[in-house]
Amino acid sequence: MNRSNMMKLTIDINNLGVMLLYYGRDQEAFEMFTGAIQVMMHASKGALVLPMRDTRVSRAYRILTKYQHNSSMHHQKRAERDDVVFSQGIRLPENIFHQSPVLCQLQSAIVLFNTALTLQLQPGEKGFARADSLYRMSYDLATVLHPLPDEVGSIEMLLLMGLLNNMSKLNNDLGNFTLARTLCHSLSSFISSLTVSTTSTLGKHMNRLLFNCLFLEPPTAAGAA
């Protein structure tokens, strides 16, 4: 298995994880995303053999094999959430895979975002600290992705909007109100800077996330007291 095949496997694992997340199968989705991270790490080091001794990789590969042989999922879609978390996992594009460093970096940022999202969607705050760390890693990668091919520009925009939205919500829940407000303002400014048709899929996400900014504003110091 060469590096290109390893990265293609990462795409397959991530995208199945997105589908599992959509159907509310959070644990399996989490195992897919963590497995994808490990495959990417080994591919970046030039490994030519899947590290099947790594339990995260072996579990992800087992789940992938299971659903490849049984493509139908008889499960209900995840119930819509009442809060402002951007709960849509992001798929890796299958038809524009290249080995360029910048696209590999985009893939890494997306998989990290999806992993963090799965932790944020868990009940309670148990996974929040780890989710925050993964979001930060994803954001650091996503903000230096230049130049990107035009065909993945909308994916980068969606990733950045999802990151700023979810990081603001997460820090608001953790009581980091100053940081949450800064991230919220960054989200609003970023969306306002984009020139995208409001009727496009990306435009609809923009409208929703811009509306979220009204609810992501944390309380003032007086209100918090």
Side-chain angles (χ1 to χ4, degrees):
M1 177 175 286
N2 58 32
R3 185 173 184 273
S4 179
N5 289 338
M6 294 273 277
M7 297 307 294
K8 176 62 171 65
L9 180 61
T10 301
I11 294 173
D12 293 340
I13 292 174
N14 175 83
N15 291 353
L16 178 58
V18 170
M19 184 181 297
L20 291 166
L21 188 65
Y22 176 84
Y23 285 108
R25 301 183 66 86
D26 294 2
Q27 183 56 42
E28 285 186 318
F30 180 74
E31 291 181 356
M32 296 303 284
F33 297 139
T34 54
I37 291 174
Q38 295 305 310
V39 174
M40 284 192 301
M41 289 179 59
H42 283 273
S44 68
K45 296 175 182 177
L48 300 179
V49 179
L50 273 180
M52 296 304 291
R53 291 185 178 181
D54 187 318
T55 56
R56 290 162 293 189
V57 174
S58 61
R59 287 174 182 170
Y61 193 77
R62 185 171 63 249
I63 295 170
L64 178 66
T65 303
K66 178 177 74 172
Y67 285 106
Q68 281 180 333
H69 288 87
N70 181 16
S71 59
S72 61
M73 285 193 187
H74 304 289
H75 303 287
Q76 294 293 323
K77 174 186 173 184
R78 173 190 295 279
E80 294 293 333
R81 294 172 60 93
D82 295 329
D83 59 29
V84 295
V85 174
F86 180 72
S87 58
Q88 175 180 312
I90 299 178
R91 290 177 55 85
L92 292 173
E94 300 176 4
N95 60 333
I96 56 169
F97 175 71
H98 304 287
Q99 296 189 48
S100 67
V102 69
L103 284 175
C104 291
Q105 194 167 318
L106 174 63
Q107 290 172 335
S108 299
I110 288 173
V111 176
L112 288 169
F113 170 84
N114 288 337
T115 311
L117 172 60
T118 309
L119 290 167
Q120 188 176 12
L121 292 174
Q122 292 179 354
E125 300 182 1
K126 182 178 179 181
F128 279 11
R130 190 176 177 192
D132 182 54
S133 176
L134 292 169
Y135 277 141
R136 289 170 185 266
M137 292 170 62
S138 177
Y139 185 78
D140 287 344
L141 289 172
T143 50
V144 292
L145 289 172
H146 298 287
L148 274 174
D150 292 340
E151 58 264 39
V152 296
S154 61
I155 299 174
E156 181 201 16
M157 293 177 196
L158 182 63
L159 173 62
L160 286 170
M161 289 191 296
L163 279 166
L164 290 169
N165 183 89
N166 289 0
M167 290 169 70
S168 180
K169 175 66 168 68
L170 186 64
N171 279 279
N172 187 65
D173 291 342
L174 290 172
N176 302 325
F177 298 130
T178 300
L179 178 55
R181 185 177 290 110
T182 299
L183 290 165
C184 180
H185 290 169
S186 296
L187 172 62
S188 178
S189 297
F190 178 66
I191 293 176
S192 299
S193 71
L194 300 177
T195 54
V196 178
S197 171
T198 56
T199 59
S200 66
T201 300
L202 181 61
K204 292 176 182 177
H205 284 306
M206 286 169 51
N207 291 337
R208 178 200 160 187
L209 294 175
L210 191 59
F211 185 71
N212 280 356
C213 290
L214 299 174
F215 299 95
L216 284 171
E217 280 286 354
T220 62

